[in-house]
Amino acid sequence: MTTALTLRAAAIAGAFAALLGQAAAAPPAATPITPQLIEAATKEGKVVFYSAIDLKVSQGVAKVFEQKYPGITVQVERTGSERIFQRVAQERANNIFAVDVFDGSDQALFVTWKKQGILEPYIPTELLKWPAAQRDPDGTFASVRFTLMPIAYNTNLVKPEDAPKSFADLLDPKWTGKIVKAHPSYSGGIVTSTFQTVKALGWQYFEKLGKQKVLQVQSATEPPKKLALGERAVSADGLEYVHLLLKEGGAPIALVYPTEGTPFIPGCEAIATNAPHPNAAKLFMSFMVSQETQQYLTDVAGLRSFNPDVKLKEGRTPLAAIKLLPSDPVAQEAATEEIKKKYAEYFGI
């Protein structure tokens, strides 16, 4: 694990421990993938996956799983983390149990779901390699991936010497009407990045940015796509892995890791209580944290892994070279409603 990630894990370990450290019961023992689990999962024949991962990527992961475990299909239901949270609340209120595995880029949602008792404890053996700060001590959820939230620009529209180098640079009048940005009411990653940026720069930054005639989109997957199409010259946020996939596919995109620090976005997964396909859910969770899948997520999907055995693809910026903004999911949970309210106030939506 890199020094930067070690420091980040240590910084948030105390926050997790404060809320989650006192287990109501002993966590389950770590469980390997066994022939018995595969057989039981195959009999169920399906896993329903609510995911905030970009649709192309989540469908790619599903295909890899289906090839590895013939006879089990993955039903991907892709939307923003905040929409997943709303959907689950509505389903549970009506005693509907449709989902097997939750995924989201807002760690704070999993803190809330744990309090509500709707996460089924399960610890795949491979997960023991993860930093403790990225594993709930009771085994109810874990950060199975992470990404960053950099600035980026279209290289056909902006020269490198003119490109923004910091969040503060985005407030320059020359970028008025040229910026695209995602929204925290839809995207859990944007809730996370907004929380971290506010902690670093204060709400005054967003108040000023809101006056820049920003093109506001929903998902954090969208700003890179608008950038690639040339609809805007600069993205104020957007998931690093989507930017990378477009860039590596030939899109005119360059990434900028802001001098103030780049938001750090862990993505969590958990099994739902009353999951309709509980064995398939366990197999899928084990599959997601396996070294093979984690390397796939890194190499093919552009995500980053907490697994210390996974290697970063050549040509990508190592974490040690990037200043990160700190993550604090417990404090973020308490601030979520304020984030959405004040953001809407400054951006008019």
Side-chain angles (χ1 to χ4, degrees):
M1 191 189 310
T2 66
T3 301
L5 186 52
T6 302
L7 292 173
R8 187 65 56 240
I12 67 174
F16 266 109
L19 180 68
L20 309 175
Q22 296 182 347
T31 305
I33 295 175
T34 63
Q36 292 79 14
L37 177 60
I38 296 172
E39 181 182 3
T42 303
K43 286 182 179 179
E44 293 171 351
K46 183 179 182 180
V47 59
V48 179
F49 183 41
Y50 286 7
S51 177
I53 302 173
D54 181 72
L55 183 60
K56 183 178 180 180
V57 174
S58 56
Q59 288 179 336
V61 170
K63 184 176 181 180
V64 173
F65 178 84
E66 291 170 348
Q67 291 173 342
K68 188 174 183 66
Y69 300 107
I72 309 173
T73 61
V74 182
Q75 179 180 325
V76 176
E77 299 284 343
R78 196 275 158 192
T79 189
S81 299
E82 307 310 303
R83 294 289 191 267
I84 291 173
F85 187 76
Q86 294 167 6
R87 178 175 179 175
V88 170
Q90 292 170 351
E91 289 178 349
R92 295 275 161 161
N94 290 284
N95 290 317
I96 296 172
F97 305 103
V99 60
D100 292 305
V101 179
F102 304 111
D103 168 274
S105 52
D106 180 351
Q107 277 185 316
L109 300 183
F110 291 80
V111 175
T112 301
W113 277 331
K114 181 183 178 181
K115 290 178 182 178
Q116 294 173 344
I118 64 173
L119 304 182
E120 186 70 27
Y122 179 68
I123 303 176
T125 300
E126 193 78 8
L127 195 59
L128 298 180
K129 295 180 180 179
W130 262 238
Q134 301 301 332
R135 297 182 280 118
D136 169 47
D138 299 331
T140 62
F141 66 92
S143 302
V144 304
R145 57 186 170 84
F146 73 98
T147 190
L148 308 178
M149 199 74 77
I151 295 170
Y153 63 94
N154 183 302
T155 57
N156 289 340
L157 301 175
V158 180
K159 296 178 181 179
E161 60 269 26
D162 297 329
K165 303 298 188 295
S166 66
F167 288 119
D169 286 348
L170 296 178
L171 305 181
D172 190 307
K174 73 179 182 181
W175 300 121
T176 301
K178 298 180 180 180
I179 300 172
V180 60
K181 191 181 182 313
H183 202 290
S185 68
Y186 180 91
S187 169
I190 299 301
V191 173
T192 302
S193 65
T194 303
F195 171 79
Q196 294 175 11
T197 307
V198 167
K199 293 287 285 186
L201 304 178
W203 275 111
Q204 61 267 26
Y205 165 70
F206 287 99
E207 183 178 11
K208 294 174 182 176
L209 186 64
K211 298 174 182 177
Q212 288 287 71
K213 297 181 181 179
V214 173
L215 172 61
Q216 188 70 67
V217 295
Q218 289 189 336
S219 174
T221 67
E222 291 184 63
K225 297 171 185 178
K226 296 292 186 184
L227 203 63
L229 292 170
E231 294 185 21
R232 284 295 186 273
V234 175
S235 60
D237 54 31
L239 297 165
E240 180 195 44
Y241 74 93
V242 181
H243 280 112
L244 283 173
L245 292 180
L246 290 168
K247 177 183 178 182
E248 291 170 359
I253 289 176
L255 278 68
V256 175
Y257 299 99
T259 56
E260 300 96 338
T262 301
F264 169 73
I265 317 295
C268 293
E269 282 186 14
I271 296 174
T273 55
N274 303 111
H277 312 100
N279 292 294
K282 291 178 180 178
L283 184 61
F284 189 79
M285 277 287 292
S286 294
F287 162 82
M288 285 297 291
V289 300
S290 69
Q291 184 176 346
E292 178 184 2
T293 304
Q294 289 290 304
Q295 194 67 61
Y296 170 88
L297 288 173
T298 300
D299 291 345
V300 179
L303 289 158
R304 296 178 184 254
S305 176
F306 291 107
N307 188 322
D309 298 328
V310 169
K311 307 302 181 183
L312 188 67
K313 187 175 180 178
E314 187 176 352
R316 293 179 182 167
T317 305
L319 206 64
I322 303 171
K323 179 182 178 181
L324 301 179
L325 295 181
S327 172
D328 186 344
V330 176
Q332 183 178 315
E333 183 200 26
T336 296
E337 291 309 312
E338 179 192 20
I339 288 170
K340 294 178 181 180
K341 180 179 179 181
K342 290 189 76 68
Y343 190 96
E345 176 185 339
Y346 294 138
F347 287 86
I349 53 175

